[in-house]
Amino acid sequence: MDPRAACLACLERPTPALFEAALWVAAEHHPDVIPAEVLKQLNLLQLQVSHALPNAPAQELAQPLLRRLSELDFHEDDEYPIRPQAALMHRVVQRRRGQPLSLALLAIELARRLDIPLQGVSFPGHFLLRVPGADHLLDPCSGRRLYTRECRELLQRHFNAQVELSANHMRTSTPQQIIQRLSRNLRQLHLNNDEPMAALHDAERVLLLGQPSLNDYLARADIYRILECPHAEKFDVQNALLLCENASQRLELTQRLQSLKSAPALH
């Protein structure tokens, strides 16, 4: 099956296969990745985690699960600059290093297998986890509990005083939203790694997974500019303009659109 179609199919199942969908994202970039084989590799990891969990109700096992992953050397990737391998799940499993989102995806998959309730939270700048009904969030990189004060500090660490903590930041993410965020991460990482064609695949996937934002259209437009595809760039700038509510940005986009309209046609 085509990797992108397989990814979308995973998300459309009655019970979405989130981790498998993430593996199909990796397979779109690396055809040698076989998701079924990576899923089998998790069987040993599942045993290593489950044997170390305390005898406690499932609601209390999410934090021990995350701490066990840390003991098994799963940590946030501190390589700089960060490369796409930090968000490609087959490489995260191999290297035991990843972004907060990719470590969260692994934890959610193991929790699902072990009947431990655990959900993803698309917190700005640092993906987090939640046990349904709990009064705190969990850092997927360490298992640390984050209450309101810690969440506010984390937000300020990433955005200084520019963003105020709101209830929207604490909402549980759907599987589609999680894979869309993974695709946005990969889009940026591939661009940073000077791989615009790979970034274009991620940008296209972002638009398929949910309501695109203004920034999603602009991100793909910028990739088309790098690839010297002015007509495709124009299409995305037009869509961005339809979503734009900021007067100064609308002016910039209108000027960009005018310059693209005057771009010579290729024959």
Side-chain angles (χ1 to χ4, degrees):
M1 184 183 289
D2 171 73
R4 184 175 298 174
C7 172
L8 297 177
C10 286
L11 299 174
E12 292 168 0
R13 294 177 190 172
T15 301
L18 178 59
F19 190 79
E20 184 180 347
L23 289 173
W24 282 112
V25 170
E28 185 173 350
H29 291 291
H30 298 276
D32 59 324
V33 173
I34 303 174
E37 293 300 319
V38 182
L39 289 171
K40 287 180 183 177
Q41 293 172 20
L42 290 193
N43 292 340
L44 175 59
L45 181 60
Q46 178 184 341
L47 288 173
Q48 291 174 321
V49 169
S50 62
H51 287 168
L53 293 179
N55 184 16
Q59 289 281 126
E60 300 174 11
L61 293 179
Q63 189 175 40
L65 183 154
L66 293 168
R67 287 177 172 169
R68 178 58 178 156
L69 284 174
S70 292
E71 292 171 359
L72 293 171
D73 201 31
F74 283 90
H75 296 293
E76 185 171 3
D77 197 334
D78 59 1
E79 184 177 88
Y80 186 82
I82 300 176
R83 293 189 291 161
Q85 62 185 0
L88 294 166
M89 288 310 305
H90 69 298
R91 295 290 287 135
V92 174
V93 172
Q94 291 170 355
R95 298 175 59 247
R96 305 200 171 201
R97 294 292 183 274
Q99 291 184 306
L101 173 54
S102 49
L103 293 174
L105 278 164
L106 179 62
I108 290 171
E109 171 63 13
L110 291 170
R112 182 193 66 79
R113 292 173 174 221
L114 298 169
D115 295 321
I116 299 171
L118 193 60
Q119 301 169 331
V121 176
S122 275
F123 195 83
H126 191 106
F127 197 85
L128 298 175
L129 293 165
R130 160 187 288 121
V131 176
D135 62 352
H136 59 273
L137 301 180
L138 294 168
D139 187 338
C141 303
S142 64
R144 183 171 72 99
R145 292 186 177 188
L146 292 92
Y147 295 89
T148 301
R149 184 183 68 180
E150 289 81 12
C151 288
R152 187 173 289 111
E153 291 172 352
L154 181 60
L155 192 66
Q156 291 176 347
R157 196 179 310 150
H158 284 282
F159 301 100
N160 297 318
Q162 302 170 10
V163 180
E164 288 290 330
L165 184 66
S166 73
N168 287 336
H169 299 148
M170 321 286 274
R171 286 182 177 174
T172 300
S173 298
T174 66
Q176 288 81 2
Q177 289 169 338
I178 292 174
I179 298 300
Q180 188 178 51
R181 177 159 171 165
L182 177 69
S183 298
R184 288 184 177 122
N185 288 352
L186 278 165
R187 180 185 68 196
Q188 190 58 51
L189 290 172
H190 280 126
L191 270 180
N192 294 347
N193 207 50
D194 196 25
E195 299 179 67
M197 281 303 303
L200 180 59
H201 290 306
D202 298 316
E204 291 171 343
R205 192 184 318 105
V206 166
L207 299 182
L208 292 173
L209 285 165
Q211 185 63 38
S213 69
L214 180 150
N215 288 333
D216 290 329
Y217 280 117
L218 288 181
R220 192 170 69 169
D222 291 342
I223 295 170
Y224 279 130
R225 174 184 284 179
I226 293 170
L227 296 172
E228 299 182 354
C229 301
H231 297 290
E233 180 187 351
K234 180 175 72 173
F235 173 83
D236 281 341
V237 174
Q238 287 172 329
N239 280 294
L241 188 57
L242 291 173
L243 296 174
C244 185
E245 297 179 354
N246 180 280
S248 61
Q249 189 176 24
R250 283 186 63 85
L251 178 60
E252 291 177 7
L253 292 175
T254 300
Q255 293 171 341
R256 180 174 177 179
L257 198 55
Q258 289 298 325
S259 68
L260 288 168
K261 286 180 179 178
S262 61
L266 298 180
H267 299 284

